[in-house]
Amino acid sequence: MTIRDLLIYTGLYRPYVNYKFLPDENNIEVLNFYPTKLQELWHYRYVMHHFRDLVTPENTLLIGSVFGPKRKLKLSKSHIKMFYTGENVKRFPDYLDQCKKFADIAIAFDYADTDEYQRFPIWLEYFFEPDSTPASIRKELAEFVTTYCPDNERKFASLVCSHDKGKLRTILFHAMSTIDRVDSGGRYLNNTNALQEEFHDDKARFIGQYKFNICPENTDRDGYVTEKVFQAIRSNTIPIYWGGLNNPEPQVLNKDAILFYDGPGSMPGLLRQIEELHRNPKLFSEFLAQPKFQPQADEYIIHLFDSLHRKMKKVLTKKSGIIVP
């Protein structure tokens, strides 16, 4: 944390914030997100699908995130304030409290269960639509894994990323390169054009041509799990993973189907395991054939959706005086 971050966090310094109350035609105000079309934001689409009639000129909704000054969210004139982050807030010190002092509801990845907080990790937004139902969730999970390449035709390992702030992807790339060639199809450490030229930027098909996929998180925090490990699982390649305290989504994922980096001391054993699976087709096929999900994974995901719906409905009705059955 920088001195400026510390001063902001303690309230001793308040940077100037240029704020105007400009909700859109659907009475939704969106602040501190990456520049994108509002209709592409998952939580915007979620509100529009489920609660469009509850968001009115008298009951405006703020959807705010971390990519901008927290004070802008405080200054918001929206009637109801929702804070959302799919990011590890350790990278955004001003948001460590997830705006709980002024937000009506916070949605993030931490394990907690209150009326004002909902756990909803970002990977859910990659694989489940805002209008998902229990039936569609069960169907999506049942059909989640796609095999793009026969086991005996797979190449060794892949990496797809645009940066490596934590340097772990670089470490794993070079360490695994002592076993066989690792193909990096993204901007970072790029050594192949196949992702763009052969697979037309279809990451799922690209990484599905390999036995292993290097997919650690940028930072490690309990509950912080992004789409990376799920993308590897979806493409039926073995994830080489680090993150979520190496216990990612224990109610969803089968850890036995994932290989974990657990600090420098774990590297020799991890490389031995990777090489053994790489050199032994029978062991590789057996490892890959393991169940990817816990038996009740679909019920846990349905619970998260149901809980989000219940809490959002409560938030959107409690201030307006609207009574919704």
Side-chain angles (χ1 to χ4, degrees):
M1 182 182 294
T2 66
I3 293 176
R4 183 178 183 275
D5 288 336
L6 180 62
L7 291 173
I8 293 173
Y9 181 69
T10 57
L12 297 176
Y13 171 63
R14 290 187 176 182
Y16 171 74
V17 173
N18 183 18
Y19 169 76
K20 290 184 179 180
F21 181 52
L22 296 171
D24 72 354
E25 67 276 9
N26 294 311
N27 306 302
I28 297 176
E29 180 185 29
V30 175
L31 298 175
N32 295 357
F33 277 86
Y34 277 129
T36 187
K37 295 179 180 178
L38 293 183
Q39 291 74 14
E40 294 177 359
L41 293 177
W42 195 95
H43 286 278
Y44 184 100
R45 293 164 56 213
Y46 179 85
V47 170
M48 290 298 294
H49 177 77
H50 292 279
F51 304 113
R52 186 167 189 166
D53 293 342
L54 297 180
V55 183
T56 66
E58 296 75 33
N59 202 42
T60 52
L61 172 69
L62 164 70
I63 304 177
S65 193
V66 298
F67 301 106
K70 182 179 180 181
R71 191 155 172 261
K72 185 179 287 188
L73 306 187
K74 290 182 181 179
L75 291 172
S76 167
K77 294 185 177 2
S78 285
H79 196 61
I80 295 167
K81 296 184 180 183
M82 181 185 95
F83 171 75
Y84 163 76
T85 181
E87 300 290 332
N88 187 344
V89 288
K90 286 175 64 176
R91 294 176 49 217
F92 303 89
D94 201 26
Y95 289 96
L96 285 171
D97 67 349
Q98 296 175 339
C99 300
K100 291 175 183 175
K101 290 183 179 179
F102 62 85
D104 296 285
I105 185 169
I107 300 169
F109 55 84
D110 286 331
Y111 290 102
D113 187 13
T114 69
D115 288 343
E116 296 79 28
Y117 176 84
Q118 176 60 47
R119 180 171 197 264
F120 206 83
I122 193 171
W123 60 267
L124 289 168
E125 301 170 27
Y126 278 78
F127 306 109
F128 300 95
E129 290 297 318
D131 61 352
S132 291
T133 64
S136 69
I137 290 170
R138 292 190 182 98
K139 184 175 187 293
E140 176 65 35
L141 214 61
E143 301 173 354
F144 193 82
V145 178
T146 299
T147 299
Y148 291 101
C149 184
D151 289 357
N152 62 352
E153 295 181 12
R154 293 173 183 262
K155 290 177 277 188
F156 175 51
S158 67
L159 170 68
V160 178
C161 64
S162 58
H163 62 82
D164 187 19
K165 292 180 181 178
K167 301 304 178 187
L168 181 53
R169 294 164 188 161
T170 306
I171 291 169
L172 288 168
F173 175 88
H174 290 299
M176 290 176 61
S177 294
T178 64
I179 299 173
D180 205 335
R181 176 184 168 87
V182 178
D183 285 344
S184 180
R187 292 196 302 271
Y188 188 73
L189 294 174
N190 180 270
N191 61 6
T192 175
N193 293 325
L195 175 59
Q196 295 78 30
E197 295 180 0
E198 186 176 349
F199 297 102
H200 308 291
D201 288 319
D202 187 334
K203 179 181 177 181
R205 289 182 59 227
F206 173 73
I207 68 175
Q209 310 301 311
Y210 297 84
K211 297 177 181 178
F212 307 94
N213 175 243
I214 299 171
C215 55
E217 305 292 358
N218 294 322
T219 55
D220 192 25
R221 182 180 170 107
D222 190 26
Y224 177 64
V225 180
T226 70
E227 75 287 353
K228 298 176 181 64
V229 65
F230 286 90
Q231 287 175 333
I233 289 169
R234 192 180 190 99
S235 295
N236 205 22
T237 181
I238 298 174
I240 310 298
Y241 186 73
W242 169 87
L245 303 187
N246 275 2
N247 190 29
E249 300 299 339
Q251 293 177 280
V252 177
L253 296 177
N254 174 20
K255 286 180 63 175
D256 292 340
I258 303 169
L259 295 181
F260 291 92
Y261 171 84
D262 193 23
S266 72
M267 185 67 85
L270 176 61
L271 291 178
R272 282 195 298 271
Q273 190 174 13
I274 291 171
E275 183 161 20
E276 184 178 24
L277 292 171
H278 180 45
R279 306 296 181 199
N280 189 320
K282 182 174 182 295
L283 285 180
F284 173 79
S285 294
E286 289 174 351
F287 190 100
L288 196 65
Q290 295 178 98
K292 309 295 196 253
F293 299 109
Q294 297 289 356
Q296 301 300 316
D298 53 354
E299 298 307 316
Y300 177 69
I301 295 169
I302 290 167
H303 162 72
L304 293 180
F305 269 85
D306 287 347
S307 185
L308 176 64
H309 187 275
R310 175 175 55 82
K311 292 176 182 179
M312 282 298 299
K313 184 167 77 169
K314 182 177 180 180
V315 162
L316 286 166
T317 57
K318 73 175 184 178
K319 287 186 175 181
S320 65
I322 299 171
I323 299 175
V324 178

